Amino acid sequence: MTLNTVLRATAATLVLGTGAAAFAADPQPGETLADSQTFAYRLLDEVPTMDPQLNEDVSGSNVQRDLFEGLMNQDAEGNLVPGVATGYTTSDENRTYVFTLREDAKWSNGEPVTAGDFVYAWRRAIDPATASPYAWFVEMTTMANASKILAGELPPEELGVEAVDDHTLKVTLEESIPYFAAMTTTSTLFPAPQAVIEEYGSEWTRPGNIVSNGAYVLSEHVPNEYHKRVKNPEYWDADNVHITEVTGLVINDVNQALTRYLAGELDMIEPLPVGQFPELKEKYPDQATSVPRLCNYYYTFNMTDTANPAIADERVRRAMSYAIDRDVIVNAVLKGGQAPAYIFTPPFTAGFDAPAPAYEGMTQKERDAEAVRLIEEAGYGKDNPLTLRLIYNTDENHKKIATVMAQMWKQKLGISVTMQNFEWKTFLEIRKNQEFDVARGAWCGDYNEASTFLQLMVSDNSQNDGRYANEQVDALMLESKTMEDPNPNYAEVETILEEDVPVIPVYHYANVFMLNSAIKGWPYENVENNWYSKDFYKVAE
């Protein structure tokens, strides 16, 4: 069953199978396993947290899919496959889900993984006292009472999740969500070891303290340098896990990362230095890769009163969007197969019939002329220039894109841009506090459905860092949760975003990376780019 089918499933029962090694990659005829089954990859920044309920970071999710296992996993094509759950049933028009948990799932300390571990984790995620940056995600599932718990009106114990017994988990939703099972692949809904967390508090994720239920356990961690995760012998499918050690190395400089990859220190790096993909593909055709990725790259406007007052003028925002030559950015700067973005949601999102905004059909010359007209009509321009503060997180690729955009604004609209970069954690704090005029943003889908992107534009979403608010958008997204076909609502939201311009869509991602040709099992066809080290193996060269 494809993921798209799962998203719109209405069947009363969906059993996904229990075969232990059915979804792991295994050596093919003629392949010989290498003596050393290790995998090392580059991290741009230190992973902000190893705690699945506190994570909001893509690189953190990559780590947590190794350390922890949720109810469901994904295979190399993005299809749902068993994780801790072997299958599930639905009833009441997808408002009730009952997951059957495997009896051989264990924590790394040998204790059994039970339905209660999921109940504890999900209550912890929605509890205001936890201050999870992804509490909104639990609310988005429409689990019974989630909104009231998040608002402090009910205790976490009232959340619509119940351990019927140790191996049966019942979830009650307030709305019909046909893609709920797909949402359980997100780290926020991974189980958590209550006794360990209560014993060690905030230090429970340190090596030596941490107890996890995934294919790997955290063995070493030197912040801002590296961490190691080693094979977990207690994992239910450990006999079929080939990679025994995974190392994430923090390398802030993308060019240094490439140098170290070519020297053999790393098995995978992404992204590649801006503009170098064509040359690398020609030189290393079996290592350099570009595939579609379910992510968008955008700039968000600060819609609060802490921004330059000019940002409040829709004409200024529209002019800045129109003045960006997206073809130059993707074809002359990035050169990695990325696609120009004129809407927020990637057009290859499952089941989404993406609308084509009017300005996409204009030539860049026409967009530029309209941008000049708009900025002058708003009272600005080269004779009365604006000065704006743009922020981005430290990375050479982000710097190049920001520089090109700033030049376009300066040359076409007379806007002077002060650019500031910050390391990842600091950047997130500054952006969340609206200490900017324009800020880099990017979002990778938590599941393959348009709401994972458009929900960010809802006024009370904690990831809505520009604090954009439109009552119609809020109403459309709320209504979409109960619709058999929500795509008309999604299309209307995109149209409103085109009119309001709270963000500037820049491009839709391609996953552009170098991968050691000895590493097999990479999920090239999974547009969410969700990878699991347990599914890899390394062949002898």
Side-chain angles (χ1 to χ4, degrees):
M1 175 172 284
T2 65
L3 179 56
N4 192 29
T5 304
V6 170
L7 292 177
R8 295 299 164 201
T10 57
T13 304
L14 179 59
V15 180
L16 295 169
T18 58
F23 308 108
D26 287 310
Q28 300 300 303
E31 291 181 337
T32 303
L33 287 174
D35 292 334
S36 177
Q37 291 294 311
T38 60
F39 175 66
Y41 71 104
R42 178 249 182 157
L43 289 163
L44 168 62
D45 296 291
E46 172 61 45
V47 175
T49 180
M50 299 288 178
D51 187 324
Q53 274 73 60
L54 296 182
N55 181 60
E56 60 177 325
D57 182 80
V58 171
S59 60
S61 295
N62 292 336
V63 175
Q64 287 156 15
R65 278 192 299 273
D66 273 7
L67 297 179
F68 298 89
E69 183 168 73
L71 294 170
M72 312 303 297
N73 293 332
Q74 292 180 4
D75 68 10
E77 296 178 349
N79 303 315
L80 285 182
V81 295
V84 175
T86 59
Y88 63 90
T89 63
T90 67
S91 59
D92 191 21
E93 297 182 334
N94 294 316
R95 288 183 176 84
T96 301
Y97 284 74
V98 177
F99 292 86
T100 301
L101 278 56
R102 60 177 74 252
E103 296 185 6
D104 54 350
K106 294 181 181 180
W107 291 99
S108 54
N109 62 2
E111 295 292 322
V113 176
T114 69
D117 296 321
F118 286 90
V119 173
Y120 168 74
W122 296 6
R123 288 175 177 173
R124 179 172 180 257
I126 196 66
D127 188 344
T130 304
S132 169
Y134 248 54
W136 65 270
F137 184 80
V138 183
E139 183 182 28
M140 190 176 171
T141 67
T142 78
M143 262 188 271
N145 297 321
S147 295
K148 291 181 178 179
I149 296 168
L150 192 57
E153 298 172 5
L154 286 175
E157 290 74 20
E158 296 298 320
L159 187 65
V161 60
E162 171 191 357
V164 178
D165 56 44
D166 281 352
H167 301 106
T168 308
L169 184 73
K170 180 181 179 181
V171 185
T172 303
L173 309 182
E174 293 177 348
E175 309 292 351
S176 174
I177 303 291
Y179 49 84
F180 175 76
M183 298 177 81
T184 68
T185 64
T186 301
S187 61
T188 312
L189 299 184
F190 288 174
Q194 182 174 359
V196 177
I197 294 173
E198 291 177 348
E199 179 178 359
Y200 294 107
S202 62
E203 297 184 356
W204 81 273
T205 56
R206 291 188 177 184
N209 296 347
I210 190 170
V211 171
S212 57
N213 74 314
Y216 297 88
V217 176
L218 185 68
S219 62
E220 299 178 42
H221 187 193
V222 180
N224 296 309
E225 291 187 25
Y226 76 94
H227 77 267
K228 286 188 178 182
R229 39 201 203 257
V230 297
K231 183 175 175 179
N232 174 12
E234 297 292 340
Y235 180 59
W236 64 270
D237 197 22
D239 290 346
N240 295 294
V241 174
H242 297 290
I243 297 294
T244 59
E245 181 180 282
V246 181
T247 304
L249 290 164
V250 178
I251 307 172
N252 299 130
D253 185 273
V254 67
N255 294 293
Q256 183 188 38
L258 177 59
T259 298
R260 294 176 68 173
Y261 171 85
L262 295 175
E265 292 183 47
L266 298 162
D267 294 300
M268 194 275 282
I269 61 168
E270 63 92 15
L272 303 183
V274 163
Q276 293 192 31
F277 175 73
E279 179 183 347
L280 290 167
K281 183 65 175 176
E282 182 176 354
K283 193 170 183 180
Y284 306 99
D286 59 343
Q287 298 179 58
T289 301
S290 174
V291 293
R293 184 176 181 184
L294 195 67
C295 304
N296 60 14
Y297 192 105
Y298 62 94
Y299 271 79
T300 187
F301 289 107
N302 179 357
M303 305 292 280
T304 75
D305 58 10
T306 62
N308 186 313
I311 295 298
D313 193 323
E314 174 269 329
R315 294 169 297 184
V316 172
R317 302 194 301 272
R318 184 178 303 277
M320 292 175 67
S321 178
Y322 281 18
I324 298 301
D325 191 332
R326 294 157 175 82
D327 288 330
V328 167
I329 290 174
V330 300
N331 296 325
V333 180
L334 297 173
K335 302 180 183 178
Q338 297 85 356
Y342 298 94
I343 61 174
F344 196 64
T345 307
F348 45 80
T349 302
F352 183 52
D353 186 11
Y359 79 108
E360 181 179 0
M362 300 165 65
T363 66
Q364 188 58 46
K365 184 177 180 180
E366 291 170 335
R367 286 193 286 266
D368 289 345
E370 180 64 5
V372 171
R373 186 191 71 79
L374 287 165
I375 199 77
E376 291 179 349
E377 186 180 279
Y380 305 100
K382 294 181 179 179
D383 295 333
N384 184 26
L386 277 172
T387 299
L388 301 177
R389 181 191 184 196
L390 179 153
I391 65 169
Y392 63 94
N393 56 299
T394 304
D395 177 71
E396 190 63 28
N397 291 359
H398 298 329
K399 179 180 179 181
K400 287 184 178 180
I401 294 171
T403 300
V404 169
M405 290 174 58
Q407 290 172 344
M408 291 175 178
W409 288 331
K410 178 69 173 178
Q411 293 168 1
K412 300 175 184 181
L413 306 177
I415 297 175
S416 295
V417 175
T418 300
M419 298 195 304
Q420 294 179 287
N421 68 292
F422 303 91
E423 62 88 19
W424 183 237
K425 267 193 171 181
T426 303
F427 171 75
L428 290 178
E429 292 175 4
I430 290 173
R431 194 173 65 180
K432 283 186 181 300
N433 292 330
Q434 291 81 50
E435 298 172 21
F436 64 90
D437 293 320
V438 191
R440 187 196 83 85
W443 192 258
C444 293
D446 291 306
Y447 49 92
N448 196 349
E449 211 261 358
S451 60
T452 190
F453 294 97
L454 296 177
Q455 195 69 24
L456 268 67
M457 296 293 99
V458 171
S459 58
D460 62 355
N461 190 297
S462 63
Q463 301 296 321
N464 180 355
D465 292 323
R467 306 322 302 165
Y468 168 66
N470 182 298
E471 291 182 359
Q472 191 176 2
V473 168
D474 292 352
L476 287 165
M477 291 307 297
L478 181 61
E479 182 185 43
S480 71
K481 295 179 180 180
T482 62
M483 299 174 69
E484 183 175 344
D485 179 13
N487 281 294
N489 280 36
Y490 297 155
E492 189 171 350
V493 170
E494 286 285 3
T495 299
I496 295 171
L497 297 181
E498 180 191 356
E499 295 170 353
D500 288 355
V501 202
V503 295
I504 299 176
V506 180
Y507 66 86
H508 293 130
Y509 273 57
N511 195 26
V512 186
F513 60 101
M514 297 285 283
L515 179 68
N516 181 351
S517 56
I519 297 292
K520 304 298 181 182
W522 190 267
Y524 294 101
E525 296 182 33
N526 184 335
V527 295
E528 293 176 66
N529 193 40
N530 286 343
W531 51 268
Y532 302 77
S533 301
K534 69 180 180 63
D535 294 336
F536 303 160
Y537 61 94
K538 183 178 285 188
V539 297
E541 296 184 90

